[in-house]
Amino acid sequence: MEQIWDQTYECMEREELEQLQLERLQATLNRAYKNVACYRNKFTGLGIVPEDVQSLSDLSKLPFTSKEDLRLNYPYGMFAVPLREVVRIHSSSGTTGKPTVVGYTKNDLKTWSNLVARFMTAAGVTHDDVVQIAFGYGLFTGAFGLHYGSETIGATVIPMSAGNTEKQIMIMQDYRTTTLVCTPTYAITLADKMEKMGIDPKSLTLKVGLFGGEPWSEAMRREIESRLCLSATDNYGLSEIIGPGVAGECPHKCGMHIFEDAFLPEIIDPETCQPLPPGSVGELVLTTLTKEAFPMIRYRTRDMTSLDYTKCTCGRTMVRMRKTMGRSDDMLIIKGVNVFPSQIEEVLVAVEGCEPHYQLVVDRVGALDVLEVRIEVTENIFFDEMKRQKAFLETVEKRIESVLGVGVTVRLVEPNSIPRQEGKASRVIDKRRI
Ligand code: DLL
């Protein structure tokens, strides 16, 4: 029999689940309406009050919430409790402008730890495991989320944080780590390093990998599994909703179970914003059902996926989301950092002589993401002298780097060589095999 952390909720019959969701939704709407001006104003604008929601299908009457709303209400405007009740702050991994600030009450932390314990258990982690956390500890929700989840299970936590790859491997050997927690990209970096150090992964005690925070493919899963000799599982989440703990895979690896007693998922058409029927591919929209400090109503995740309501052999009744298939906006995740092409554009247009014709080429060299920014040569930025050209490119690189927080290479290309498009520009070429 497979381990299930919370039989009552994870295996609830749909009818009972929907009743619970409706009750929790109504409570959330009331709290948000009463305590968060942004929600109250949006509801008023549409001429609705929380009491208008009498069934789950009424959800579609409610306004959406977007990252822009969070920015406009920076830092604490979306909090539904006074700051004195908030015991933890986190923030999204975007590094520029106003980041997204999220808060947790004591109860929220308990809820979060339990949700993480659920997907860790589903992946096969037990209290006998030694969990090495190689996410960066800090404002990013990854490390703390998995840390508290592991402790809730009763596993032994090694809070390694990110980086220092050789030391990660040494600790893995000496402390007999059984469970690895990091981004899928970093798992490959670890495998590369081990190979260089001549360490046979079979000599380690790794059993399970919990990878998330960025998209990755089945091919990458196979590579990680064979190179690290563990079972590689996927888990999904986002700071605005709670962090990791929104969804995770069971041993059957046929989609990530969304914990529907805590989050209400919808799939919408990102263009028309209309809900799509079950099974369709569209943008995932999530409503939190239990959060106190930071309730989110119909939050547009921008992640494209589909939902599978058929029964899973693991016994969990919770719906499964497919691995994400890109985003409905143009956000890129480079080395774990959220990057928007518009941020680069802002830097470029501020550079004298630069025209807004640019292209971003993302690739993966070894396990590292690399970003090349191509700009067209114009009369103003054509320099006969190589030295001057080099200095110019370096200045632009530094400016972009200081805004994004990740390094880039800027390359000059022939005038008019970047395709002009009508309508939406597609400025990104993503060559990564994900
Ligand atoms: O990345 C939370 C997290 C940490 C999840 C650790 C899992 C493990 P943010 O920094 O707010 O939060 O970034 C959220 O990352 O909207 C997705 O686009 C992407 N993402 C997260 N997990 C996955 C995944 C954390 N398993 C954004 N597959 C989300 C694909 C993912 N994309």
Side-chain angles (χ1 to χ4, degrees):
M1 171 69 191
E2 264 169 37
Q3 291 287 328
I4 294 182
W5 181 256
D6 195 329
Q7 284 271 349
T8 315
Y9 288 117
E10 292 179 74
C11 304
M12 209 173 227
E13 288 307 325
R14 189 134 295 266
E15 206 174 309
E16 202 186 343
L17 174 68
E18 287 182 353
Q19 184 54 37
L20 177 79
Q21 287 179 319
L22 180 60
E23 282 161 22
R24 289 182 168 179
L25 174 66
Q26 285 167 330
T28 299
L29 295 179
N30 274 308
R31 247 181 312 114
Y33 184 82
K34 191 163 145 245
N35 301 314
V36 185
C38 170
Y39 288 127
R40 201 163 46 245
N41 295 339
K42 282 187 183 227
F43 278 43
T44 310
L46 293 175
I48 48 172
V49 288
E51 289 69 31
D52 290 338
V53 173
Q54 291 299 326
S55 73
L56 288 181
S57 59
D58 289 337
L59 190 64
S60 60
K61 293 181 186 165
L62 299 174
F64 291 104
T65 309
S66 67
K67 219 178 175 75
E68 188 57 20
D69 292 312
L70 273 54
R71 286 207 184 102
L72 291 172
N73 290 286
Y74 177 85
Y76 299 139
M78 299 299 280
F79 284 20
V81 298
L83 201 55
R84 91 182 87 88
E85 283 178 39
V86 172
V87 295
R88 177 88 67 76
I89 295 286
H90 278 287
S91 159
S92 76
S93 49
T95 50
T96 188
K98 301 284 186 212
T100 310
V101 183
V102 299
Y104 304 76
T105 62
K106 266 194 182 155
N107 255 336
D108 288 333
L109 287 187
K110 234 187 258 165
T111 307
W112 189 18
S113 308
N114 257 303
L115 290 167
V116 175
R118 279 190 196 176
F119 80 74
M120 293 186 76
T121 305
V125 180
T126 72
H127 60 264
D128 292 324
D129 281 302
V130 178
V131 184
Q132 184 162 335
I133 298 183
F135 278 137
Y137 279 74
L139 285 173
F140 178 55
T141 50
F144 280 95
L146 272 289
H147 183 114
Y148 279 69
S150 307
E151 286 188 354
T152 303
I153 289 178
T156 310
V157 184
I158 312 175
M160 275 301 289
S161 205
N164 219 341
T165 310
E166 272 189 36
K167 190 163 173 202
Q168 298 270 5
I169 295 167
M170 185 193 87
I171 298 273
M172 218 175 265
Q173 287 179 307
D174 296 351
Y175 298 3
R176 294 190 291 281
T177 301
T178 62
T179 307
L180 175 64
V181 173
C182 58
T183 58
T185 313
Y186 194 61
I188 299 272
T189 306
L190 282 164
D192 287 343
K193 190 61 150 201
M194 265 181 217
E195 213 171 272
K196 272 203 194 103
M197 292 165 75
I199 292 167
D200 178 3
K202 287 200 202 80
S203 69
L204 300 173
T205 42
L206 290 176
K207 191 180 86 184
V208 180
L210 297 151
F211 306 122
E214 61 182 10
W216 53 306
S217 60
E218 286 301 328
M220 203 154 154
R221 187 200 313 265
R222 285 193 293 274
E223 179 175 343
I224 296 173
E225 293 196 327
S226 74
R227 295 184 66 195
L228 287 179
C229 295
L230 47 66
S231 163
T233 62
D234 195 1
N235 69 87
Y236 168 90
L238 58 166
S239 334
E240 294 86 341
I241 295 300
I242 205 158
V246 174
E249 282 179 334
C250 65
H252 304 280
K253 300 180 186 170
C254 52
M256 294 179 274
H257 290 280
I258 300 182
F259 300 125
E260 289 177 277
D261 54 314
F263 311 105
L264 194 53
E266 296 170 87
I267 295 289
I268 63 159
D269 178 329
E271 300 293 327
T272 65
C273 293
Q274 290 307 308
L276 294 173
S280 326
V281 174
E283 181 184 328
L284 178 68
V285 170
L286 292 167
T287 298
T288 64
L289 296 174
T290 56
K291 275 182 61 210
E292 294 180 342
F294 202 77
M296 278 287 110
I297 298 171
R298 301 193 90 197
Y299 184 71
R300 292 192 59 176
T301 67
R302 298 288 179 177
D303 292 315
M304 300 291 286
T305 183
S306 63
L307 300 180
D308 185 350
Y309 284 89
T310 59
K311 216 169 153 66
C312 180
T313 21
C314 74
R316 288 175 188 80
T317 50
M318 312 256 108
V319 68
R320 284 164 288 145
M321 64 180 269
R322 261 175 72 172
K323 270 183 176 299
T324 62
M325 289 159 264
R327 293 186 50 93
S328 68
D329 61 7
D330 48 6
M331 188 183 91
L332 293 163
I333 304 183
I334 294 171
K335 294 183 193 157
V337 177
N338 300 348
V339 169
F340 288 92
S342 56
Q343 297 174 297
I344 297 172
E345 188 169 312
E346 268 171 42
V347 174
L348 293 179
V349 295
V351 174
E352 207 182 325
C354 237
E355 302 237 1
H357 299 303
Y358 65 93
Q359 201 166 42
L360 308 180
V361 184
V362 195
D363 206 348
R364 190 159 278 171
V365 178
L368 271 193
D369 293 335
V370 287
L371 173 58
E372 181 179 278
V373 180
R374 294 181 180 166
I375 51 178
E376 288 183 358
V377 172
T378 63
E379 259 174 46
N380 289 326
I381 53 171
F382 184 79
F383 305 108
D384 293 331
E385 255 179 82
M386 282 305 280
K387 233 167 62 193
R388 271 181 65 207
Q389 197 178 88
K390 200 163 160 256
F392 169 81
L393 293 177
E394 275 171 12
T395 310
V396 183
E397 281 169 0
K398 278 211 190 88
R399 281 202 210 167
I400 297 178
E401 198 173 321
S402 73
V403 171
L404 302 185
V406 288
V408 301
T409 313
V410 176
R411 197 156 73 85
L412 288 177
V413 296
E414 293 286 312
N416 289 313
S417 63
I418 294 172
R420 309 292 197 256
Q421 259 146 347
E422 279 172 23
K424 260 187 178 194
S426 93
R427 306 191 181 285
V428 181
I429 303 175
D430 201 334
K431 296 181 171 169
R432 293 175 292 188
R433 48 186 178 101
I434 45 178

